[in-house]
């Protein structure tokens, strides 16, 4: 049984209330940080722990905190990004719904480290009931003295506010989130300046994912060294993975990053394998934005090594034969799924969610959706596949924010690994309407030339 | 500039397409390139130097930074928007010398034209449209788009400004005008993605005295002058600099005339298509000057406006038009050419000898008795 740091207490009855949470050892990290550590020491601990951002990019959190500008007389802000709207990702929802005090506790500690006297939770608008849960938790924490002025005589003031989004995926991009929080239209800002220098209301700001902030609690409680012992290499600690798709046991799992992808899918402790008679066809290991991988590249890397559930191993081979850890939205597709239709539905999502600020993303996402719809409904041409490739190439990297990349990558990866399925759709338009391409050879072991192995 | 201030402003040296240029620190790459001028300058559809916060959206000004600075000569991983990237000492920028840039730019032009209606023949902006220029200079012939273009419901935004949302490329310039020039903002972007539209909130009419400047900043024909609508093509008009004593604005304008008739009044534009600055201030003009002063007697004429000789507008500048010397008989050795079509040098319809007119033809010429007889 793997070690759980975040969700170990999530199923204690009544853990959403302050009394139970405190009885189970809650708010120890705040006590420890405020009484025995300086803000810089807390930041140092987080740096030493090797914690990486859990929102998608995997940027080292301690380093991000270190970049925060600290001019005199200017307030600093911590903003928690709870605008979790990526298809396939629902880990933050679970954490906030079942153990809300963990996020509040992590936020107080992180606010102390960053010197933020007012911290915000920007929560996805659709999570209506969770915003209420969090507000209750904040109320309880405040009543017990963990928030407010001069917390336990430490001289540190902190208040937490919950801000509800209005249903835009783009507001999960940190600068769009800040714009939205300021009450403006949620358009991403042009960087630089980065939020660490000019963020919320022009003040230095750190934007962190819910899970990242929650992970500060075990780091302070257990110590950075203990935390860093879990996991492999630069992937330290535990990670929440929200598994969904064609598996027996969809749900949120906390893994220490030492298990293989194969174990994660097939072990009864986690996903519990695929339904009887179904075979693994493909998987998106980190939320809809990251490249899809066929079964043969998912379980083993291109070099033939076992792929592990770590940041490095999932990214092994770059985009040519790898993917990304992303936000941990693990979507499994079995042989009854159609990759073309799947890609179309993702393209439709990104078209709908593009903010429309910069031209490649605004126009390109809609174009890709229309072409994919044509291919899916049997009206495609072979040249459409090359056209799709060219469009995604011209979107990727040329936009203001990563949404352009996120829209381009799934299409690129689908064509890269499943081109024959696209071609089959074009060449058999009638048949493609009635049956799927199936598994074909996607699970076959790939031939690895000796030159690659060397 | 006095010698003291010259020393106090630190300057930065960089190279753009292997041409070195020295600019004050804090300048953007695009403005540095504009100092060099010519083909080295990236095109800009959304950036407007007189509007704070504009730029970065259209992505036509993307450039490659081959070396970030002298201190850190690593190249930047992605193409950057030159309008929002500040110069650094020793920066090496590649614009037209980079294939990556040319490719990305052609892509952006294609994206911008995907949903843009190709109704140039009936668009009032034709001839002074930045998207036309951009497509001509940086685009590919033809499009690969096979779907219906996006359209919008027509919306009336007041008596002076015509909004054609289908032509909009969402550069946001007009919203910055609404934000920064008018005191009462009623204009912004609604909705998102490719169905985002500029609009006044719940179609509230824009009645601010400076709202007309939105027409000047619009790079395409999305916002046009209702008082000039379908009156004439810009290349048949004669742009003249003029001024008047205006209590509100600088009063320095360009009159677009046909004969003595004033068809349109706009602010003066510089070579980048932006409003000129007068004594360090942007020369925005008020709606009174723009829409109400349509008589030549309202204005003091200064002379012909500066129009790039490459522009189609500069065609209409001739006065005392002379008939070119007929060289055909010489070339043909006295033989008469066999015409495939009957070509006239006199307008059959109006019986007017265009070349005999003292200036460009005006409405009055066509209303003359000679024309009426036809």
């Amino acid at each position: 049984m793997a070690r759980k740091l975040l969700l170990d207490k999530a199923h204690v009855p009544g853990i959403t209330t302050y009394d139970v949470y405190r009885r189970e050892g809650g708010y120890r990290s705040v006590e420890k940080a405020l009484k025995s550590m300086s803000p810089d020491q807390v930041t140092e601990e987080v740096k030493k722990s090797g914690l990486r951002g859990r929102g998608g990019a995997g940027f080292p959190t301690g380093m991000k905190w270190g970049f925060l500008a600290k001019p005199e007389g200017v307030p600093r802000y911590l903003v928690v990004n709870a605008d979790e709207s990526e298809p396939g990702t629902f880990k933050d929802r679970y954490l906030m719904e079942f153990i809300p005090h963990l996020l509040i506790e992590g936020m107080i500690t992180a606010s102390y480290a960053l010197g933020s006297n007012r911290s915000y939770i920007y929560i996805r608008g659709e999570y209506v009931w969770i915003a209420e849960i969090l507000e209750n938790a904040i109320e309880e924490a405040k009543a017990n003295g963990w928030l407010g002025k001069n917390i336990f005589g430490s001289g540190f003031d902190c208040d937490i506010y919950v801000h509800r989004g209005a249903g835009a995926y783009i507001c999960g991009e940190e600068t769009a989130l800040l714009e939205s929080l300021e009450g403006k239209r949620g358009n991403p800002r042009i960087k630089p300046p980065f939020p660490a220098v000019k963020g919320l209301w022009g003040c230095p700001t750190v934007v962190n994912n819910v899970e990242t902030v929650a992970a500060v609690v075990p780091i302070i409680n257990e110590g950075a060294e203990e935390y860093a012992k879990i996991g492999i290499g630069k992937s330290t600690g535990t990670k929440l993975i929200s598994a969904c798709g064609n598996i027996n046991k969809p749900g949120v799992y906390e893994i220490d990053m030492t298990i293989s992808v194969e174990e994660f899918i097939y072990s009864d402790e986690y996903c519990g394998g695929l339904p009887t008679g179904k075979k693994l066809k493909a998987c998106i290991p980190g939320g809809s934005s990251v490249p899809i991988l066929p079964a043969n590249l998912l379980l083993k890397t291109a070099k033939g090594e076992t792929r592990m559930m770590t940041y490095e191993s999932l990214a092994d081979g770059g985009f040519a034969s790898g993917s990304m850890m992303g936000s941990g939205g693990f979507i499994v597709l079995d042989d009854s799924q159609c990759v073309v239709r799947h890609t179309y539905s993702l393209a439709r999502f990104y078209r709908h969610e593009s903010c429309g600020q910069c031209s490649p993303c605004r126009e390109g996402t809609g174009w890709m959706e229309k072409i994919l719809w044509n291919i899916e409904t049997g009206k495609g041409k072979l040249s459409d596949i090359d056209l799709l490739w060219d469009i995604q190439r011209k979107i990727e990297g040329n936009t203001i924010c990563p949404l352009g990349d996120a829209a381009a990558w799934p299409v690129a990866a689908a064509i890269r690994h499943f081109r024959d399925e696209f071609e089959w759709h074009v060449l058999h338009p009638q048949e493609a309407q009635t049956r799927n391409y199936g598994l074909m050879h996607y699970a076959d072991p790939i031939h690895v030339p000796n030159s690659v192995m060397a | 500039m006095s010698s003291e201030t010259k020393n106090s402003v630190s300057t930065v040296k960089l190279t753009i397409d292997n041409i070195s240029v020295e600019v004050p620190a804090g300048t953007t790459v695009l403005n540095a390139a504009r100092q060099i001028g010519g083909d080295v300058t990236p095109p800009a559809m959304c950036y407007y130097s007189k509007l704070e916060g504009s730029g970065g959206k259209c992505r036509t000004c993307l450039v490659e930074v081959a070396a970030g600075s002298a201190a850190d000569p690593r190249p930047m991983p992605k193409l950057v928007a030159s309008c929002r990237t500040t110069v650094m000492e020793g920066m090496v920028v590649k614009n037209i010398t980079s294939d990556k840039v040319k490719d990305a730019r052609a892509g952006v032009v294609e994206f911008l034209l995907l949903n843009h209606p190709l109704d140039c023949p009936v668009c009032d902006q034709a001839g002074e449209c930045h998207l036309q220029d951009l497509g001509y200079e940086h685009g590919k012939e033809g499009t690969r788009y096979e779907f219906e273009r996006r359209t919008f419901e027509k919306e009336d935004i007041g008596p002076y400004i015509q909004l054609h949302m289908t032509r909009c490329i969402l550069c946001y310039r007009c919203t910055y005008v609404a934000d920064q020039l008018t005191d009462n903002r009623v204009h912004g972007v609604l909705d998102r993605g490719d169905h985002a539209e500029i609009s006044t909130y719940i179609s509230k009419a824009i009645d601010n005295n400076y709202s007309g400047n939105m027409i000047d900043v619009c790079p395409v024909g999305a916002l046009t002058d209702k008082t000039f609508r379908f009156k004439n093509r810009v290349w048949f008009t004669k742009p003249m600099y003029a001024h008047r004593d205006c209590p509100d604005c600088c009063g320095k304008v360009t009159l677009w005339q046909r004969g003595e008739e004033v068809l349109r009044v706009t602010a003066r534009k510089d070579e980048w298509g932006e409003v000129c600055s007068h004594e360090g201030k942007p020369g925005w003009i008020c709606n009174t000057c723009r829409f109400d002063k349509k008589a030549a007697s309202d204005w003091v004429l200064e002379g012909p406006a500066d129009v790039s000789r490459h522009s189609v507008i500069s065609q209409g500048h001739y006065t005392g038009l002379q008939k070119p010397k007929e060289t055909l008989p010489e070339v043909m050795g006295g033989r008469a050419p066999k015409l495939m079509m009957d070509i006239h040098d006199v307008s059959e319809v109006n019986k007017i000898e265009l070349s005999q007119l003292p200036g460009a033809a005006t409405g009055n010429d066509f209303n003359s008795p000679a024309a009426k007889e036809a």
Side-chain angles (χ1 to χ4, degrees):
Chain A
M1 191 75 180
R3 205 156 157 212
K4 286 187 178 176
L5 295 174
L6 301 176
L7 300 182
D8 53 345
K9 301 272 166 56
H11 295 291
V12 175
I15 194 76
T16 49
T17 61
Y18 171 79
D19 294 332
V20 178
Y21 184 74
R22 178 73 178 145
R23 197 183 66 222
E24 294 289 332
Y27 290 99
R28 272 186 299 139
S29 73
V30 180
E31 259 175 318
K32 185 175 173 187
L34 290 184
K35 288 194 179 139
S36 64
M37 295 166 88
S38 72
D40 288 343
Q41 278 173 322
V42 178
T43 308
E44 204 49 46
E45 282 292 296
V46 174
K47 262 185 202 164
K48 269 194 280 177
S49 74
L51 175 65
R52 293 172 66 169
R54 304 296 198 223
F59 191 80
T61 306
M63 210 153 72
K64 194 173 189 174
W65 289 11
F67 288 149
L68 185 72
K70 292 183 176 165
E72 274 302 309
V74 179
R76 300 187 285 273
Y77 294 102
L78 168 71
V79 178
V80 171
N81 185 347
D83 190 70
E84 179 185 53
S85 349
E86 181 125 327
T89 307
F90 45 90
K91 63 185 176 65
D92 296 342
R93 166 181 166 174
Y94 191 89
L95 193 146
M96 291 187 290
E97 191 170 352
F98 290 99
I99 185 159
H101 280 283
L102 186 69
L103 173 62
I104 309 300
E105 182 181 353
M107 278 183 78
I108 301 168
T109 314
S111 300
Y112 174 67
L114 299 167
S116 160
N117 301 120
R118 268 197 281 168
S119 302
Y120 294 88
I121 304 172
Y122 185 95
I123 189 162
R124 178 181 178 193
E126 286 88 336
Y127 288 176
V128 184
W129 72 101
I130 300 179
E132 283 164 14
I133 293 172
L134 287 172
E135 271 169 353
N136 282 340
I138 292 167
E139 211 52 46
E140 283 182 312
K142 200 163 190 172
N144 287 286
W146 298 101
L147 285 170
K149 294 246 174 272
N150 194 11
I151 300 167
F152 291 104
S154 63
F156 173 65
D157 309 335
C158 184
D159 273 307
I160 297 178
Y161 300 92
V162 179
H163 186 98
R164 291 163 175 84
Y169 173 67
I170 189 64
C171 290
E173 200 275 341
E174 56 176 4
T175 53
L177 186 153
L178 296 176
E179 287 276 301
S180 175
L181 196 54
E182 290 179 10
K184 300 179 192 153
R185 181 186 162 84
N187 275 358
R189 294 176 185 169
I190 293 144
K191 289 173 267 186
F194 288 93
V197 181
K198 254 180 117 177
L200 190 59
W201 291 298
C203 303
T205 306
V206 165
V207 185
N208 275 147
N209 180 257
V210 170
E211 192 192 340
T212 317
V213 175
V216 172
V217 175
I219 290 171
I220 299 301
N221 279 342
E222 316 253 330
E225 281 83 9
E226 275 299 308
Y227 189 85
K229 276 182 199 160
I230 307 166
I232 308 172
K234 282 185 181 163
S235 306
T236 59
T238 61
K239 172 93 185 79
L240 298 184
I241 303 282
S242 54
C244 62
N246 304 116
I247 45 174
N248 283 327
K249 286 166 61 190
V252 176
Y253 297 100
E254 182 169 5
I255 58 162
D256 53 1
M257 289 185 265
T258 52
I259 61 167
S260 69
V261 177
E262 192 166 2
E263 187 189 342
F264 184 71
I265 297 178
Y266 290 104
S267 126
D268 279 338
E269 194 184 331
Y270 301 111
C271 303
L274 278 71
T276 323
K278 298 290 183 188
K279 291 195 185 79
L280 179 66
K281 179 176 184 178
C283 174
I284 303 174
S288 66
S289 306
V290 309
I292 188 171
L293 285 180
N296 53 8
L297 278 172
L298 177 72
L299 304 180
K300 292 231 190 309
T301 66
K303 289 178 187 168
E305 294 155 4
T306 308
R307 208 183 275 280
M308 309 296 284
M309 292 290 284
T310 65
Y311 285 94
E312 291 81 20
S313 185
L314 284 173
D316 188 281
F319 279 1
S321 64
S323 184
M324 274 169 82
M325 176 66 116
S327 56
F330 198 85
I331 309 170
V332 179
L333 279 69
D334 71 17
D335 54 355
S336 63
Q337 300 299 321
C338 171
V339 169
V340 178
R341 186 164 189 90
H342 166 83
T343 312
Y344 161 73
S345 76
L346 290 184
R348 194 181 57 167
F349 172 78
Y350 288 110
R351 185 254 181 105
H352 185 252
E353 297 297 344
S354 168
C355 76
Q357 191 180 202
C358 57
S359 15
C361 172
R362 176 183 70 233
E363 307 291 351
T365 49
W367 193 5
M368 291 200 298
E369 185 211 333
K370 287 174 187 155
I371 294 172
L372 281 162
W373 177 247
N374 266 4
I375 297 177
E376 166 63 19
T377 52
K379 287 175 278 186
K381 302 190 291 277
L382 279 178
S383 63
D384 282 347
I385 302 168
D386 290 329
L387 180 57
L388 273 178
W389 184 265
D390 196 50
I391 298 170
Q392 70 80 18
R393 195 174 59 81
K394 280 174 172 155
I395 298 174
E396 192 209 336
N398 291 341
T399 53
I400 294 175
C401 80
L403 192 134
D405 301 344
W409 290 342
V411 176
I415 296 177
R416 187 183 294 122
H417 300 303
F418 299 92
R419 197 184 174 103
D420 44 358
E421 189 161 342
F422 281 84
E423 286 171 359
W424 180 79
H425 259 263
V426 172
L427 297 173
H428 304 85
Q430 299 292 323
E431 207 181 342
Q433 305 307 305
T434 53
R435 76 172 187 91
N436 279 333
Y437 190 59
L439 186 62
M440 300 315 259
H441 56 270
Y442 296 132
D444 298 348
I446 35 174
H447 170 68
V448 183
N450 286 331
S451 56
V452 177
M453 296 297 287
Chain B
M1 200 184 268
S2 67
S3 60
E4 294 101 314
T5 52
K6 200 169 192 174
N7 290 337
S8 68
V9 175
S10 61
T11 59
V12 169
K13 260 192 196 153
L14 72 157
T15 63
I16 303 172
D17 284 342
N18 303 322
I19 303 169
S20 26
V21 62
E22 201 170 337
V23 293
T27 314
T28 60
V29 173
L30 180 68
N31 280 330
R34 283 183 174 182
Q35 288 199 8
I36 301 172
D39 290 344
V40 172
T41 314
M45 300 296 289
C46 66
Y47 173 76
Y48 208 83
S49 60
K50 276 97 187 168
L51 294 171
E52 201 188 319
S54 66
K57 296 177 169 55
C58 67
R59 318 307 282 178
T60 55
C61 70
L62 290 175
V63 291
E64 185 182 343
V65 177
S69 67
D72 180 8
R74 285 177 303 172
M76 291 193 186
K78 289 178 179 179
L79 302 182
V80 297
S82 59
C83 62
R84 294 290 292 257
T85 307
T86 320
V87 294
M88 302 288 273
E89 180 68 41
M91 197 183 229
V92 178
V93 178
K94 285 168 139 189
N95 180 21
I96 49 172
T97 49
S98 161
D99 288 335
K100 248 166 95 183
V101 170
K102 284 196 221 162
D103 183 50
R105 195 167 288 157
V108 172
V109 175
E110 190 173 18
F111 286 135
L112 285 176
L113 289 170
L114 276 194
N115 280 313
H116 188 87
L118 299 182
D119 62 350
C120 306
V122 296
C123 175
D124 270 331
Q125 191 83 3
E128 50 182 9
C129 174
H130 292 201
L131 191 58
Q132 276 185 331
D133 297 346
L134 183 80
Y136 184 71
E137 282 163 26
H138 302 280
K140 299 236 164 72
E141 69 285 352
T143 176
R144 296 173 290 178
Y145 192 64
E146 297 171 338
F147 305 92
E148 261 184 39
R149 287 189 157 84
R150 163 207 65 180
T151 51
F152 291 91
E153 294 278 307
K154 273 200 180 129
E155 192 176 358
D156 188 10
I157 61 165
Y160 291 131
I161 304 174
Q162 179 69 39
L163 170 64
H164 276 284
M165 193 49 222
T166 45
R167 293 179 190 151
C168 179
I169 57 163
L170 286 170
C171 68
Y172 283 64
R173 280 178 183 177
C174 54
T175 65
Y176 288 110
V177 168
D179 243 359
Q180 291 165 28
L181 293 184
T182 68
D183 42 5
N184 218 340
R185 179 177 167 170
V186 285
H187 177 109
V189 176
L190 305 180
D191 225 324
R192 66 173 181 230
D194 57 2
H195 41 281
E197 55 180 313
I198 54 165
S199 175
T200 53
Y201 190 53
I202 329 252
S203 304
K204 219 168 150 190
I206 300 173
D207 52 2
N208 189 281
N209 198 25
Y210 277 82
S211 63
N213 290 297
M214 287 169 197
I215 301 168
D216 278 347
V217 300
C218 184
V220 293
L223 293 166
T224 50
D225 188 338
K226 264 193 184 166
T227 62
F228 177 62
R229 214 166 165 232
F230 300 143
K231 285 248 176 89
N232 223 312
R233 311 294 336 202
V234 284
W235 57 85
F236 291 143
T237 62
K238 169 173 68 172
M240 298 289 281
Y241 281 157
H243 65 263
R244 70 181 270 268
D245 242 348
C246 179
D248 285 339
C249 66
C250 65
K252 293 189 167 70
V253 299
T254 307
L255 300 183
W256 300 78
Q257 289 185 300
R258 190 85 193 246
E260 287 300 296
E261 242 176 303
V262 176
L263 296 173
R264 181 172 71 151
V265 183
T266 67
R268 293 184 194 174
K269 306 273 185 82
D270 63 14
E271 58 183 312
W272 312 113
E274 293 184 6
V275 166
C276 291
S277 288
H278 307 295
E279 290 149 13
K281 276 196 203 147
W284 308 112
I285 62 169
C286 65
N287 283 4
T288 317
C289 289
R290 185 186 301 270
F291 299 120
D292 299 338
K293 302 291 172 191
K294 289 289 182 75
S297 55
D298 291 329
W299 299 94
V300 182
L301 286 184
E302 290 172 19
D306 277 336
V307 176
S308 158
R309 65 189 177 84
H310 299 292
S311 166
V312 66
I313 299 168
S314 63
Q315 281 198 78
H317 266 221
Y318 311 118
T319 51
L321 196 71
Q322 279 193 352
K323 218 173 165 181
K325 195 184 152 208
E326 198 63 66
T327 53
L328 209 60
E330 282 174 38
V331 177
M332 300 286 289
R335 284 177 294 126
K338 191 179 174 204
L339 293 177
M340 303 297 287
M341 246 162 60
D342 203 10
I343 298 169
H344 311 271
D345 51 6
V346 176
S347 164
E348 282 282 282
V349 182
N350 293 309
K351 306 275 187 225
I352 292 170
E353 182 92 21
L354 291 174
S355 57
Q356 296 295 310
L357 293 178
T362 70
N364 292 337
D365 295 321
F366 294 100
N367 293 331
S368 66
K372 289 263 167 69
E373 280 169 27

